[in-house]
Amino acid sequence: MKAKIINALLPTVILVFSGLCWEASVRLFKIPSYVLPGPWKILQAMWQRFDLLALNALVTLTEIALGFLLALIIGLSLAVLIHASRIMERALLPLVISSQTIPVFAIAPLLILWFGYGIGSKVVMTTIIVFFPIVINAVEGLRAADPDTLALLQILEASPTQIFFKVRVPQALPFVFAGIRIGVAVSVIGAVIGEWVGAREGLGYLMIHANAQLQVELVFAAIFWLSILGVVLYALVGALERLLVPWKKDESNVV
């Protein structure tokens, strides 16, 4: 219990201390707010423009949620195919890896051309960034099943379907959630990049619009909203993992 309180307070203390140092530096060196606003002005912007930020955050959150859901479906499907067949592994794995070598900014204009300025291009951009860690971790998880358990089930003449759902899937869940945690953390980046290239709403669009008008405090306010979205989504995934994979917590307590 004491360790949990310390873990919760430590980031807050560091954040407050960093904010105080930031505010002191801005005031001490008299840095103009259009170059670098202090945390106090950013907090004021977050309060005064709350409705605008919340409305655009809802758009970005929708793009993230849809893109993440699509990435989860595609990622898990590809992982099952790659694990099920050596031929599929040789055919699909190089394509999955090569998809991450393409700079996302290079394909963003194409996505705008194909899917338009609406939500579709942002969802696809988020999916492209998120699905990779889910695929790789899910494949590793399916391969990491305990060999003794697999041998025992084979002796008992269990079917491949029974082995898959009763052994491989449960033992792969911690790996899958590791990929999901990485994916949800970077999903914010995908949505914002899509909005930077072409959008009519969303926090990324708001940042571009505010920057053009030298409203730097509003840019930072949007960044903080994005950070909050990322942290909340990461925490939700952690809570879901504790609910669906309780044995992982028990193992960590034993260690």
Side-chain angles (χ1 to χ4, degrees):
M1 185 67 183
K2 185 178 178 182
K4 290 183 178 179
I5 295 174
I6 293 174
N7 290 338
L9 287 179
L10 197 57
T12 306
V13 171
I14 294 175
L15 185 63
V16 172
F17 178 75
S18 302
L20 291 174
C21 292
W22 180 357
E23 183 71 34
S25 301
V26 168
R27 292 175 183 267
L28 180 64
F29 296 105
K30 298 180 180 177
I31 301 175
S33 60
Y34 62 85
V35 175
L36 179 63
W40 179 244
K41 286 199 171 185
I42 296 171
L43 289 175
Q44 285 181 317
M46 292 178 72
W47 174 257
Q48 294 168 355
R49 311 297 293 275
F50 179 84
D51 292 345
L52 179 66
L53 288 162
L55 186 65
N56 285 278
L58 183 61
V59 174
T60 303
L61 181 60
T62 304
E63 295 165 357
I64 292 171
L66 293 176
F68 182 81
L69 182 61
L70 191 58
L72 189 63
I73 295 171
I74 294 174
L76 293 180
S77 301
L78 286 174
V80 172
L81 289 174
I82 291 171
H83 172 264
S85 166
R86 182 68 68 180
I87 295 175
M88 296 300 291
E89 178 184 352
R90 290 174 180 170
L92 293 176
L93 199 53
L95 296 177
V96 171
I97 295 172
S98 64
S99 71
Q100 299 302 300
T101 63
I102 303 171
V104 289
F105 270 108
I107 60 172
L110 294 174
L111 295 179
I112 296 295
L113 179 65
W114 295 334
F115 297 99
Y117 282 85
I119 193 172
S121 55
K122 289 75 183 174
V123 170
V124 175
M125 176 62 74
T126 304
T127 302
I128 291 173
I129 290 181
V130 171
F131 91 101
F132 181 75
I134 295 176
V135 175
I136 298 302
N137 281 276
V139 170
E140 290 300 319
L142 291 171
R143 289 173 175 170
D146 180 40
D148 293 335
T149 306
L150 294 175
L152 177 61
L153 285 179
Q154 287 171 351
I155 291 173
L156 295 174
E157 298 182 349
S159 67
T161 304
Q162 288 175 317
I163 293 175
F164 181 79
F165 285 105
K166 292 184 179 297
V167 178
R168 292 197 183 277
V169 170
Q171 294 191 11
L173 281 179
F175 293 85
V176 173
F177 271 100
I180 290 175
R181 285 201 301 272
I182 297 172
V184 81
V186 300
S187 62
V188 177
I189 300 173
V192 169
I193 291 176
E195 291 172 354
W196 278 352
V197 176
R200 300 185 183 93
E201 51 190 355
L203 288 175
Y205 165 78
L206 183 63
M207 290 167 64
I208 294 291
H209 187 70
N211 189 54
Q213 296 180 338
L214 295 180
Q215 296 179 345
V216 183
E217 64 277 3
L218 186 56
V219 176
F220 274 97
I223 292 173
F224 281 141
W225 270 75
L226 288 169
S227 299
I228 293 169
L229 281 181
V231 171
V232 170
L233 291 172
Y234 190 91
L236 287 176
V237 171
L240 187 62
E241 182 180 11
R242 286 192 293 275
L243 183 66
L244 296 180
V245 196
W247 59 88
K248 184 183 177 184
K249 181 182 177 183
D250 297 337
E251 290 173 357
S252 62
N253 289 336
V254 170
V255 175

